[in-house]
Amino acid sequence: TKVQDMSAEVVDSNPYSRLMALQRMGIVDNYERIRDFSVAIVGIGGVGSVAAEMLTRCGIGRLLLYDYDKVELANMNRLFFRPEQVGMTKTDAASQTLSDINPDVVLESFTLNITTVQGFETFMSSLRNKSFRPNKEGSGVDLVLSCVDNYEARMAVNQACNELNQTWMESGVSEDAVSGHIQLLIPGETACFACAPPLVVASGVDERTLKREGVCAASLPTTMGVVAGLLVQNTLKLLLQFGQVSPYLIGFGFNAWLQGYNSLKDFFPTMEMRPNPQCSNAACLERQKEYLLVKPARDAAIIAK
Ligand code: ATP
Ligand code: ZN
């Protein structure tokens, strides 16, 4: 009938009704909690920009964006940025697009290099800022997503998150563009980024020599899109507590040096990585000690359930 057609139209025009259906279908207990969460994304390139768009469309509460680079024409083989944005900073271009898509998301952008002294300080203080949710425990964000393309920047994220006891996820796409990885890192509970050095370090090959001047790494929008999708899916599972990410199932993740997702074979290995008691990162060792103190009580609570 005519009445039924009209009600269908009303439901379809509201993007939130599709998200709220996740609750009706029993996938999540309370979808609206998504508006309370803050996620920081470091690196707004091929993976980070797509992750930012996905979280924006999911209705995340607040996004903090960090990048020092500008949009280039050479980025057009990736998703998200458009040719008319060439020359803008990636943070400005991203804020423009994301606020158009969903004006309800609180966006904060930082055009800086997190590996410089000043940049690292601003990065740390922005993560500590609790103005969005003053009563929140811990830092001012719920999760940090690392979407950078180099070792130094990953080590800077690792340092900040170990110091702040901040859960984060690392991601990456290989130089040949056909494989990638995501990894959940909980300070003290799982291996940190310094606990288990990636392949380039383990094999003694300096990443800087891999990144030779004028030799560009391959990149595919498909692999970057897949990695961004895996990263944000894991983010939603962690924040909204559905599927296989619970506080106990600590070690989701596949690491670059073990070959993570491989698109040539559609191979998706996963594994847990425990912290290294000999880690060179002092803050990691402190978090490991703290975790060992709370672990017996947490294990008992899980067994009791
Ligand atoms: P390519 O290097 O392949 O030409 P890209 O630099 O855009 O492209 P991506 O892998 O698409 O690389 O994205 C990584 C993003 O991380 C880039 O936008 C880059 O500017 C950002 N990034 C890397 N290191 C830092 C850092 N130390 N501080 C802030 N942003 C960083
Ligand atoms: Zn460590």
Side-chain angles (χ1 to χ4, degrees):
T1 67
K2 201 167 185 205
V3 175
Q4 274 170 334
D5 287 345
M6 280 184 62
S7 67
E9 205 170 284
V10 169
V11 169
D12 284 345
S13 66
N14 179 358
Y16 254 92
S17 59
R18 294 302 181 99
L19 294 165
M20 291 307 295
L22 287 168
Q23 205 168 306
R24 221 177 42 243
M25 308 269 176
I27 300 296
V28 298
D29 289 341
N30 179 0
Y31 188 83
E32 265 175 301
R33 275 176 50 220
I34 192 118
R35 290 163 159 274
D36 293 337
F37 295 121
S38 283
V39 175
I41 305 182
V42 189
I44 313 300
V47 173
S49 62
V50 178
E53 178 172 344
M54 288 173 169
L55 286 170
T56 297
R57 291 186 191 271
C58 286
I60 195 83
R62 173 175 172 249
L63 278 183
L64 289 80
L65 310 174
Y66 307 83
D67 205 298
Y68 57 71
D69 211 5
K70 287 187 171 158
V71 179
E72 292 172 43
L73 263 186
N75 298 139
M76 294 308 134
N77 69 328
R78 288 122 196 234
L79 305 170
F80 190 73
F81 291 117
R82 297 188 307 269
E84 64 268 28
Q85 294 178 316
V86 167
M88 290 175 77
T89 62
K90 288 183 178 176
T91 46
D92 282 349
S95 301
Q96 183 185 60
T97 305
L98 299 175
S99 58
D100 278 352
I101 291 172
N102 185 349
D104 293 338
V105 181
V106 176
L107 293 169
E108 289 173 31
S109 62
F110 301 86
T111 311
L112 52 77
N113 181 346
I114 62 156
T115 65
T116 63
V117 174
Q118 177 68 55
F120 186 77
E121 264 173 33
T122 309
F123 177 47
M124 286 282 283
S125 60
S126 62
L127 295 179
R128 282 199 191 99
N129 176 11
K130 288 191 196 174
S131 56
F132 179 70
R133 256 167 74 203
N135 299 326
K136 185 186 177 300
E137 276 177 48
S139 86
V141 302
D142 297 283
L143 186 68
V144 175
L145 300 179
S146 165
C147 303
V148 293
D149 59 352
N150 62 87
Y151 181 73
E152 280 85 3
R154 289 185 172 100
M155 285 301 266
V157 176
N158 188 60
Q159 184 63 41
C161 292
N162 276 342
E163 285 184 31
L164 296 169
N165 198 7
Q166 172 67 57
T167 296
W168 63 289
M169 284 184 207
E170 144 64 12
S171 69
V173 173
S174 63
E175 297 261 310
D176 62 8
V178 289
S179 54
H181 68 274
I182 65 166
Q183 183 184 354
L184 173 66
L185 295 100
I186 306 173
E189 196 169 328
T190 70
C192 89
F193 198 71
C195 279
L199 180 67
V200 279
V201 178
S203 65
V205 182
D206 189 329
E207 191 184 25
R208 275 158 293 200
T209 63
L210 280 175
K211 292 214 151 191
R212 281 158 296 170
E213 200 64 40
V215 178
C216 72
S219 81
L220 280 171
T222 46
T223 312
M224 291 185 160
V226 168
V227 170
L230 290 171
L231 186 65
V232 176
Q233 195 75 288
N234 212 37
T235 297
L236 295 174
K237 290 199 281 186
L238 185 82
L239 297 179
L240 298 172
Q241 295 176 319
F242 66 96
Q244 279 212 351
V245 180
S246 64
Y248 184 64
L249 188 103
I250 42 182
F252 175 86
F254 23 104
N255 206 294
W257 53 273
L258 286 165
Q259 266 217 323
Y261 157 66
N262 184 320
S263 70
L264 299 181
K265 293 186 172 164
D266 282 341
F267 179 56
F268 287 84
T270 65
M271 62 166 291
E272 287 184 13
M273 277 211 298
R274 301 281 171 192
N276 177 358
Q278 263 100 48
C279 181
S280 58
N281 187 294
C284 173
L285 297 180
E286 277 176 45
R287 298 292 91 78
Q288 289 189 39
K289 269 190 222 149
E290 289 165 9
Y291 179 67
L292 285 178
L293 290 177
V294 301
K295 191 177 184 299
R298 283 178 57 169
D299 288 352
I302 286 158
I303 291 163
K305 261 190 201 170

